[in-house]
Coordinates of all heavy atoms in Angstrom, one line a residue:
M1 N 13.7 8.5 -36.5 CA 12.7 8.7 -35.5 C 13.3 8.5 -34.1 O 14.0 7.6 -33.8 CB 11.6 7.6 -35.7 CG 10.2 8.0 -35.5 SD 9.0 6.7 -35.7 CE 8.6 6.9 -37.4
G2 N 13.0 9.5 -33.2 CA 13.5 9.5 -31.9 C 12.6 8.7 -31.0 O 11.5 8.2 -31.3
E3 N 13.2 8.4 -29.8 CA 12.4 7.6 -28.8 C 11.2 8.5 -28.3 O 11.4 9.7 -28.1 CB 13.3 7.2 -27.6 CG 14.3 6.2 -28.0 CD 15.0 5.7 -26.8 OE1 14.4 5.6 -25.7 OE2 16.2 5.4 -26.9
A4 N 10.1 7.8 -28.0 CA 9.0 8.5 -27.4 C 9.3 8.9 -26.0 O 10.0 8.2 -25.3 CB 7.8 7.6 -27.5
A5 N 8.8 10.0 -25.6 CA 9.0 10.5 -24.2 C 8.2 9.5 -23.3 O 7.2 9.0 -23.6 CB 8.4 11.9 -24.0
P6 N 8.8 9.2 -22.1 CA 8.1 8.3 -21.2 C 6.9 8.9 -20.6 O 6.8 10.2 -20.5 CB 9.2 8.1 -20.1 CG 10.0 9.3 -20.1 CD 10.1 9.8 -21.6
T7 N 5.9 8.1 -20.2 CA 4.7 8.6 -19.6 C 5.1 8.8 -18.1 O 5.5 7.8 -17.4 CB 3.6 7.5 -19.7 OG1 3.3 7.3 -21.1 CG2 2.4 8.0 -19.0
L8 N 4.9 10.0 -17.6 CA 5.2 10.3 -16.2 C 4.0 10.7 -15.5 O 3.1 11.4 -16.0 CB 6.3 11.4 -16.2 CG 7.6 11.2 -16.9 CD1 8.4 12.5 -16.9 CD2 8.3 10.0 -16.4
I9 N 3.9 10.3 -14.2 CA 2.8 10.6 -13.4 C 3.1 11.9 -12.6 O 4.0 11.8 -11.7 CB 2.4 9.4 -12.4 CG1 2.3 8.1 -13.2 CG2 1.2 9.8 -11.6 CD1 1.2 8.1 -14.2
G10 N 2.4 12.9 -12.8 CA 2.7 14.2 -12.2 C 2.7 14.2 -10.7 O 3.5 14.8 -10.0
S11 N 1.6 13.6 -10.1 CA 1.5 13.6 -8.7 C 2.7 12.8 -8.0 O 3.1 13.2 -6.9 CB 0.2 13.0 -8.3 OG 0.0 11.7 -8.7
V12 N 3.2 11.8 -8.7 CA 4.3 11.0 -8.1 C 5.5 11.9 -8.2 O 6.3 12.0 -7.2 CB 4.5 9.7 -8.9 CG1 5.8 9.0 -8.4 CG2 3.3 8.8 -8.7
R13 N 5.7 12.6 -9.3 CA 6.9 13.5 -9.4 C 6.8 14.6 -8.3 O 7.9 14.9 -7.7 CB 6.9 14.1 -10.8 CG 7.2 13.0 -11.9 CD 7.3 13.7 -13.2 NE 8.6 14.4 -13.3 CZ 8.8 15.5 -14.0 NH1 7.8 16.0 -14.7 NH2 10.0 16.1 -14.0
R14 N 5.7 15.2 -8.1 CA 5.5 16.2 -7.1 C 5.8 15.7 -5.7 O 6.5 16.3 -4.9 CB 4.1 16.8 -7.2 CG 3.9 17.7 -8.4 CD 2.6 18.5 -8.4 NE 1.5 17.6 -8.5 CZ 0.9 17.2 -9.6 NH1 1.5 17.6 -10.8 NH2 -0.1 16.4 -9.7
A15 N 5.3 14.5 -5.4 CA 5.6 13.9 -4.1 C 7.1 13.6 -3.9 O 7.6 13.8 -2.8 CB 4.8 12.6 -3.9
L16 N 7.7 13.1 -4.9 CA 9.2 12.8 -4.8 C 10.0 14.1 -4.7 O 10.9 14.2 -3.9 CB 9.7 12.1 -6.0 CG 9.2 10.6 -6.1 CD1 9.5 10.0 -7.5 CD2 9.7 9.8 -5.0
H17 N 9.6 15.2 -5.4 CA 10.3 16.5 -5.2 C 10.0 17.0 -3.8 O 10.9 17.7 -3.3 CB 9.8 17.4 -6.3 CG 10.2 17.1 -7.7 ND1 9.6 17.6 -8.8 CD2 11.1 16.2 -8.1 CE1 10.2 17.1 -9.9 NE2 11.1 16.2 -9.5
L18 N 8.8 16.8 -3.3 CA 8.5 17.2 -1.9 C 9.4 16.5 -0.9 O 10.0 17.1 0.0 CB 7.1 17.0 -1.6 CG 6.5 17.6 -0.4 CD1 6.6 19.1 -0.4 CD2 5.0 17.2 -0.3
L19 N 9.6 15.2 -1.1 CA 10.5 14.4 -0.2 C 11.9 15.0 -0.3 O 12.6 15.1 0.7 CB 10.4 12.9 -0.6 CG 9.3 12.1 -0.1 CD1 9.3 10.8 -0.7 CD2 9.2 12.1 1.4
D20 N 12.4 15.2 -1.5 CA 13.7 15.8 -1.7 C 13.9 17.1 -1.0 O 14.9 17.4 -0.4 CB 14.0 16.0 -3.2 CG 14.3 14.7 -4.0 OD1 14.6 13.7 -3.3 OD2 14.2 14.8 -5.2
A21 N 12.8 18.0 -1.1 CA 12.9 19.3 -0.4 C 12.9 19.2 1.1 O 13.7 19.9 1.8 CB 11.7 20.1 -0.9
V22 N 12.1 18.3 1.6 CA 12.1 18.0 3.1 C 13.5 17.5 3.5 O 14.1 17.9 4.5 CB 11.0 17.1 3.5 CG1 11.2 16.7 5.0 CG2 9.6 17.7 3.3
C23 N 14.0 16.6 2.7 CA 15.3 16.0 3.0 C 16.5 17.0 3.0 O 17.4 17.0 3.8 CB 15.6 14.8 2.1 SG 17.1 13.9 2.4
A24 N 16.4 17.9 2.1 CA 17.4 19.0 1.9 C 17.3 20.1 3.0 O 18.3 20.8 3.1 CB 17.3 19.6 0.5
S25 N 16.2 20.2 3.7 CA 16.0 21.2 4.6 C 16.8 20.9 5.9 O 16.8 19.8 6.4 CB 14.5 21.4 5.0 OG 14.3 22.4 5.9
E26 N 17.5 21.9 6.4 CA 18.3 21.8 7.7 C 17.4 21.8 8.9 O 17.9 21.4 10.0 CB 19.3 22.9 7.7 CG 20.4 22.7 6.7 CD 21.5 23.8 6.7 OE1 21.5 24.6 7.7 OE2 22.3 23.9 5.8
R27 N 16.2 22.2 8.8 CA 15.3 22.2 9.9 C 13.9 21.8 9.4 O 13.7 21.6 8.2 CB 15.2 23.6 10.5 CG 14.7 24.7 9.6 CD 14.7 26.0 10.3 NE 14.0 27.0 9.5 CZ 14.5 27.9 8.6 NH1 15.8 27.9 8.4 NH2 13.8 28.7 8.0
P28 N 13.0 21.5 10.3 CA 11.6 21.1 9.8 C 11.1 22.1 8.8 O 11.2 23.3 9.0 CB 10.8 21.0 11.1 CG 11.8 20.7 12.2 CD 13.0 21.5 11.7
A29 N 10.6 21.5 7.7 CA 10.1 22.4 6.6 C 8.6 22.6 6.7 O 7.8 21.7 6.9 CB 10.4 21.7 5.3
T30 N 8.2 23.9 6.6 CA 6.8 24.2 6.7 C 6.1 24.0 5.3 O 6.8 24.1 4.3 CB 6.6 25.7 7.1 OG1 7.1 26.5 6.1 CG2 7.2 25.9 8.5
A31 N 4.8 23.8 5.3 CA 4.1 23.6 4.0 C 4.3 24.9 3.2 O 4.5 24.8 1.9 CB 2.6 23.4 4.3
K32 N 4.2 26.1 3.7 CA 4.3 27.3 3.0 C 5.7 27.4 2.3 O 5.8 27.8 1.1 CB 4.1 28.5 3.8 CG 2.6 28.7 4.1 CD 2.4 30.0 4.9 CE 0.9 30.1 5.3 NZ 0.7 31.4 6.0
R33 N 6.7 27.1 3.1 CA 8.1 27.1 2.5 C 8.3 26.1 1.4 O 8.9 26.4 0.4 CB 9.1 26.9 3.6 CG 10.5 27.3 3.2 CD 11.5 27.5 4.4 NE 11.9 26.2 4.9 CZ 11.8 25.8 6.1 NH1 11.4 26.6 7.0 NH2 12.2 24.6 6.5
L34 N 7.7 24.9 1.6 CA 7.8 23.9 0.6 C 7.0 24.3 -0.7 O 7.5 24.1 -1.8 CB 7.3 22.5 1.1 CG 8.1 21.9 2.2 CD1 7.4 20.8 2.9 CD2 9.4 21.4 1.6
A35 N 5.9 24.9 -0.5 CA 5.1 25.3 -1.7 C 5.8 26.4 -2.5 O 5.9 26.3 -3.7 CB 3.7 25.8 -1.2
H36 N 6.4 27.3 -1.8 CA 7.2 28.3 -2.4 C 8.4 27.8 -3.1 O 8.7 28.1 -4.3 CB 7.6 29.4 -1.4 CG 8.5 30.5 -2.0 ND1 7.9 31.5 -2.8 CD2 9.8 30.7 -1.9 CE1 8.9 32.3 -3.2 NE2 10.0 31.9 -2.7
A37 N 9.2 26.9 -2.5 CA 10.4 26.3 -3.0 C 10.1 25.5 -4.3 O 10.9 25.5 -5.2 CB 11.1 25.5 -2.0
L38 N 9.0 24.8 -4.3 CA 8.6 23.9 -5.4 C 7.7 24.6 -6.4 O 7.3 23.9 -7.4 CB 8.0 22.6 -4.9 CG 8.9 21.8 -4.0 CD1 8.2 20.6 -3.4 CD2 10.1 21.3 -4.8
D39 N 7.3 25.8 -6.1 CA 6.4 26.5 -7.0 C 5.1 25.7 -7.2 O 4.6 25.5 -8.4 CB 7.0 26.9 -8.3 CG 6.2 27.9 -9.1 OD1 5.5 28.7 -8.5 OD2 6.3 27.9 -10.3
L40 N 4.5 25.2 -6.1 CA 3.3 24.5 -6.1 C 2.2 25.2 -5.3 O 2.5 25.9 -4.4 CB 3.5 23.1 -5.5 CG 4.4 22.1 -6.3 CD1 4.6 20.8 -5.4 CD2 3.7 21.7 -7.6
P41 N 0.9 25.0 -5.7 CA -0.1 25.6 -4.9 C -0.1 25.0 -3.5 O 0.1 23.8 -3.3 CB -1.4 25.2 -5.6 CG -1.0 24.8 -7.0 CD 0.4 24.3 -6.9
L42 N -0.4 25.8 -2.5 CA -0.4 25.4 -1.1 C -1.3 24.2 -0.8 O -1.0 23.3 -0.2 CB -0.6 26.6 -0.2 CG -0.5 26.3 1.3 CD1 0.9 25.8 1.7 CD2 -0.8 27.6 2.1
P43 N -2.6 24.3 -1.4 CA -3.5 23.1 -1.2 C -2.9 21.8 -1.7 O -3.1 20.8 -1.1 CB -4.8 23.5 -1.9 CG -4.7 25.0 -2.0 CD -3.3 25.4 -2.1
T44 N -2.2 21.9 -2.8 CA -1.6 20.7 -3.4 C -0.5 20.1 -2.4 O -0.4 18.9 -2.2 CB -1.0 21.0 -4.8 OG1 -2.0 21.4 -5.7 CG2 -0.2 19.8 -5.3
V45 N 0.3 21.0 -1.9 CA 1.3 20.6 -1.0 C 0.7 20.0 0.3 O 1.2 19.0 0.8 CB 2.2 21.8 -0.6 CG1 3.2 21.5 0.5 CG2 3.0 22.3 -1.8
Y46 N -0.4 20.6 0.8 CA -1.0 20.0 2.0 C -1.5 18.6 1.7 O -1.4 17.7 2.5 CB -2.2 20.9 2.5 CG -1.7 22.0 3.4 CD1 -1.9 23.3 3.0 CD2 -1.0 21.7 4.6 CE1 -1.5 24.4 3.9 CE2 -0.6 22.8 5.4 CZ -0.9 24.1 5.1 OH -0.5 25.1 5.9
H47 N -2.1 18.4 0.5 CA -2.6 17.0 0.2 C -1.5 16.0 0.1 O -1.6 14.9 0.6 CB -3.4 17.1 -1.2 CG -4.7 17.7 -1.1 ND1 -5.7 17.3 -0.3 CD2 -5.2 18.8 -1.8 CE1 -6.7 18.1 -0.5 NE2 -6.4 19.0 -1.3
L48 N -0.4 16.4 -0.5 CA 0.8 15.6 -0.6 C 1.4 15.3 0.7 O 1.7 14.1 1.1 CB 1.8 16.2 -1.6 CG 1.4 16.2 -3.1 CD1 2.4 17.1 -3.8 CD2 1.3 14.9 -3.7
L49 N 1.5 16.3 1.5 CA 2.1 16.1 2.9 C 1.2 15.2 3.7 O 1.8 14.3 4.4 CB 2.2 17.5 3.6 CG 3.3 18.4 3.1 CD1 3.2 19.8 3.7 CD2 4.7 17.9 3.3
R50 N -0.1 15.4 3.7 CA -1.0 14.5 4.5 C -0.8 13.1 4.0 O -0.8 12.2 4.9 CB -2.4 15.0 4.3 CG -3.4 14.3 5.1 CD -4.8 14.9 5.1 NE -5.2 15.6 3.9 CZ -5.3 17.0 3.8 NH1 -4.9 17.8 4.8 NH2 -5.6 17.5 2.7
T51 N -0.7 12.8 2.7 CA -0.5 11.5 2.2 C 0.8 10.9 2.7 O 0.9 9.7 3.1 CB -0.7 11.5 0.7 OG1 -1.9 12.0 0.3 CG2 -0.5 10.1 0.1
L52 N 1.9 11.7 2.5 CA 3.2 11.2 2.9 C 3.3 10.9 4.4 O 4.0 10.0 4.8 CB 4.3 12.1 2.4 CG 4.4 12.2 0.9 CD1 5.2 13.4 0.4 CD2 5.0 10.9 0.4
V53 N 2.6 11.7 5.2 CA 2.6 11.5 6.7 C 1.8 10.2 6.9 O 2.3 9.3 7.7 CB 2.0 12.7 7.4 CG1 1.7 12.3 8.9 CG2 2.9 13.9 7.4
Y54 N 0.7 10.0 6.3 CA -0.1 8.9 6.5 C 0.6 7.6 6.2 O 0.5 6.6 6.9 CB -1.4 9.0 5.7 CG -2.3 7.8 5.8 CD1 -3.2 7.7 6.9 CD2 -2.3 6.7 4.9 CE1 -4.0 6.6 7.1 CE2 -3.1 5.6 5.1 CZ -4.0 5.6 6.1 OH -4.8 4.5 6.3
E55 N 1.4 7.6 5.1 CA 2.1 6.5 4.7 C 3.5 6.3 5.4 O 4.1 5.3 5.2 CB 2.4 6.6 3.2 CG 1.2 6.5 2.3 CD 0.5 5.1 2.4 OE1 1.1 4.1 2.7 OE2 -0.8 5.1 2.2
G56 N 3.8 7.2 6.3 CA 5.0 7.1 7.1 C 6.3 7.6 6.5 O 7.4 7.4 7.1
Y57 N 6.2 8.3 5.3 CA 7.4 8.8 4.7 C 7.8 10.2 5.3 O 9.0 10.6 5.2 CB 7.2 9.0 3.2 CG 7.2 7.6 2.5 CD1 6.0 7.0 2.2 CD2 8.3 6.9 2.2 CE1 5.9 5.8 1.6 CE2 8.3 5.7 1.6 CZ 7.1 5.1 1.3 OH 7.0 3.8 0.8
L58 N 6.9 10.9 5.9 CA 7.2 12.1 6.6 C 6.5 12.0 8.0 O 5.6 11.3 8.2 CB 6.6 13.3 5.9 CG 7.2 13.6 4.5 CD1 6.4 14.8 3.9 CD2 8.7 13.9 4.6
R59 N 7.0 12.9 8.9 CA 6.4 13.1 10.2 C 6.1 14.6 10.3 O 6.9 15.4 9.9 CB 7.4 12.7 11.3 CG 7.5 11.2 11.5 CD 8.3 10.9 12.8 NE 9.5 11.7 13.0 CZ 9.8 12.2 14.2 NH1 9.1 12.0 15.3 NH2 10.9 12.9 14.3
K60 N 5.0 14.9 10.9 CA 4.6 16.3 11.2 C 5.0 16.6 12.6 O 4.6 16.0 13.5 CB 3.1 16.5 11.0 CG 2.7 17.9 11.1 CD 1.2 18.1 10.8 CE 0.7 19.5 10.8 NZ 1.4 20.4 11.7
L61 N 5.8 17.7 12.7 CA 6.1 18.2 14.0 C 5.4 19.5 14.2 O 4.8 20.0 13.3 CB 7.6 18.4 14.1 CG 8.5 17.2 13.8 CD1 10.0 17.6 13.9 CD2 8.2 16.1 14.8
D62 N 5.5 20.1 15.4 CA 4.9 21.4 15.6 C 5.4 22.5 14.7 O 4.6 23.4 14.3 CB 5.1 21.9 17.1 CG 4.3 21.0 18.1 OD1 3.3 20.3 17.6 OD2 4.7 21.0 19.2
D63 N 6.6 22.4 14.3 CA 7.2 23.5 13.5 C 7.5 23.1 12.0 O 8.2 23.8 11.3 CB 8.5 24.0 14.1 CG 9.5 22.9 14.4 OD1 9.2 21.7 14.3 OD2 10.7 23.3 14.7
G64 N 7.0 22.0 11.6 CA 7.1 21.6 10.2 C 7.2 20.1 10.0 O 6.8 19.3 10.8
Y65 N 7.7 19.7 8.8 CA 7.8 18.3 8.4 C 9.2 17.8 8.4 O 10.1 18.5 7.9 CB 7.1 18.1 7.1 CG 5.6 18.4 7.2 CD1 5.1 19.7 7.0 CD2 4.7 17.4 7.4 CE1 3.8 20.0 7.1 CE2 3.3 17.6 7.4 CZ 2.9 18.9 7.3 OH 1.6 19.2 7.4
V66 N 9.4 16.6 8.8 CA 10.7 15.9 8.7 C 10.5 14.5 8.1 O 9.4 14.0 8.0 CB 11.4 15.8 10.1 CG1 11.8 17.2 10.6 CG2 10.6 15.0 11.0
L67 N 11.6 13.9 7.7 CA 11.5 12.5 7.2 C 11.0 11.6 8.2 O 11.3 11.7 9.4 CB 12.9 12.0 6.7 CG 13.4 12.7 5.4 CD1 14.8 12.1 5.1 CD2 12.5 12.7 4.3
G68 N 10.1 10.6 7.8 CA 9.6 9.6 8.6 C 10.3 8.3 8.5 O 11.3 8.2 7.7
G69 N 9.9 7.3 9.3 CA 10.6 6.1 9.3 C 10.7 5.3 8.0 O 11.7 4.7 7.7
R70 N 9.7 5.4 7.2 CA 9.7 4.7 5.9 C 10.7 5.4 4.9 O 11.4 4.7 4.2 CB 8.4 4.7 5.2 CG 7.4 3.7 6.0 CD 6.2 3.5 5.3 NE 6.4 2.5 4.2 CZ 5.4 2.1 3.4 NH1 4.1 2.6 3.5 NH2 5.6 1.3 2.4
A71 N 10.9 6.7 5.0 CA 11.9 7.3 4.2 C 13.3 7.0 4.6 O 14.2 6.8 3.8 CB 11.7 8.9 4.2
N72 N 13.5 6.9 5.9 CA 14.8 6.5 6.5 C 15.1 5.1 6.0 O 16.3 4.8 5.7 CB 14.8 6.6 8.0 CG 14.7 8.0 8.5 OD1 15.2 8.9 7.8 ND2 14.1 8.2 9.7
G73 N 14.1 4.2 5.9 CA 14.4 2.9 5.5 C 14.8 2.8 4.0 O 15.7 2.1 3.6
L74 N 14.3 3.7 3.2 CA 14.7 3.8 1.8 C 16.1 4.3 1.7 O 16.9 3.8 0.9 CB 13.8 4.8 1.1 CG 12.4 4.4 0.8 CD1 11.6 5.6 0.2 CD2 12.3 3.2 -0.2
R75 N 16.5 5.2 2.6 CA 17.8 5.8 2.5 C 18.9 4.7 2.9 O 19.9 4.6 2.3 CB 17.9 6.9 3.5 CG 19.3 7.6 3.5 CD 19.4 8.8 4.3 NE 18.3 9.0 5.3 CZ 18.1 10.0 6.1 NH1 18.9 11.0 5.9 NH2 17.2 10.1 6.9
Q76 N 18.5 3.8 3.8 CA 19.5 2.8 4.3 C 19.6 1.7 3.3 O 20.6 1.0 3.2 CB 19.0 2.2 5.6 CG 19.1 3.3 6.7 CD 18.5 2.8 8.0 OE1 18.0 1.7 8.1 NE2 18.5 3.7 9.0
G77 N 18.6 1.5 2.5 CA 18.6 0.5 1.4 C 18.4 -0.9 1.9 O 18.2 -1.1 3.1
N78 N 18.3 -1.8 1.0 CA 18.0 -3.2 1.3 C 19.3 -4.0 0.9 O 19.8 -3.9 -0.2 CB 16.9 -3.6 0.4 CG 16.5 -5.0 0.5 OD1 17.3 -5.9 0.5 ND2 15.2 -5.3 0.6
A79 N 19.8 -4.8 1.9 CA 21.0 -5.5 1.7 C 21.0 -6.4 0.5 O 21.9 -6.6 -0.3 CB 21.4 -6.3 2.9
R80 N 19.8 -7.1 0.2 CA 19.7 -8.0 -0.9 C 19.8 -7.2 -2.2 O 20.5 -7.6 -3.2 CB 18.4 -8.7 -0.9 CG 18.4 -9.8 0.2 CD 17.2 -10.7 0.1 NE 16.0 -10.0 -0.4 CZ 14.8 -10.4 -0.3 NH1 14.5 -11.5 0.3 NH2 13.8 -9.7 -0.8
Q81 N 19.2 -6.0 -2.3 CA 19.3 -5.2 -3.5 C 20.7 -4.8 -3.7 O 21.2 -4.7 -4.9 CB 18.3 -4.0 -3.5 CG 16.9 -4.4 -3.6 CD 16.0 -3.2 -3.5 OE1 16.4 -2.1 -3.3 NE2 14.7 -3.5 -3.8
A82 N 21.4 -4.4 -2.7 CA 22.8 -4.0 -2.8 C 23.6 -5.1 -3.4 O 24.5 -4.9 -4.2 CB 23.3 -3.5 -1.5
A83 N 23.4 -6.3 -3.0 CA 24.1 -7.5 -3.4 C 23.9 -7.7 -4.9 O 24.8 -8.1 -5.7 CB 23.8 -8.7 -2.6
V84 N 22.6 -7.5 -5.4 CA 22.3 -7.7 -6.8 C 23.0 -6.7 -7.7 O 23.4 -7.0 -8.8 CB 20.8 -7.6 -7.0 CG1 20.4 -7.5 -8.4 CG2 20.1 -8.7 -6.3
G85 N 23.2 -5.5 -7.1 CA 23.9 -4.4 -7.9 C 25.4 -4.6 -8.1 O 26.0 -3.8 -8.8
R86 N 25.9 -5.5 -7.5 CA 27.4 -5.7 -7.6 C 27.8 -6.4 -8.8 O 27.3 -7.1 -9.5 CB 27.9 -6.5 -6.4 CG 27.8 -5.7 -5.1 CD 28.4 -6.5 -3.9 NE 28.0 -5.8 -2.7 CZ 28.0 -6.3 -1.5 NH1 28.4 -7.5 -1.4 NH2 27.7 -5.6 -0.5

């Protein structure tokens, strides 16, 4: 008998993929470009973007979305967690 597949939350996965796509973009990413790149409906992308902006993981600029302060904090990591991983 194989291991059971993990229970995954689709909206969390979509939000994480959206963050990855914004991070990978060399310039501010538009909602339409993100929807196309992730093969997601535009209304879904707008809902995710609005939530991620509200929570501080993204910032909305006039020409698209970029990483926000909370995402930058994730990237820098936590010194205590780094010490635990050693």
Side-chain angles (χ1 to χ4, degrees):
M1 219 183 266
E3 288 186 37
T7 300
L8 304 175
I9 307 299
S11 58
V12 173
R13 293 183 72 211
R14 288 188 292 275
L16 291 170
H17 292 165
L18 190 61
L19 282 172
D20 285 340
V22 170
C23 187
S25 181
E26 294 180 9
R27 61 182 193 265
T30 65
K32 286 183 181 180
R33 196 166 74 232
L34 291 165
H36 179 73
L38 298 173
D39 195 27
L40 291 173
L42 188 56
T44 298
V45 170
Y46 276 121
H47 288 299
L48 292 169
L49 289 170
R50 188 171 26 256
T51 301
L52 291 167
V53 167
Y54 179 83
E55 293 295 333
Y57 290 97
L58 294 178
R59 281 189 320 134
K60 185 177 184 326
L61 305 177
D62 290 339
D63 56 346
Y65 294 85
V66 296
L67 292 180
R70 289 188 79 180
N72 290 331
L74 289 174
R75 185 176 16 186
Q76 293 169 3
N78 177 316
R80 288 189 327 198
Q81 288 181 355
V84 170
R86 292 184 189 162

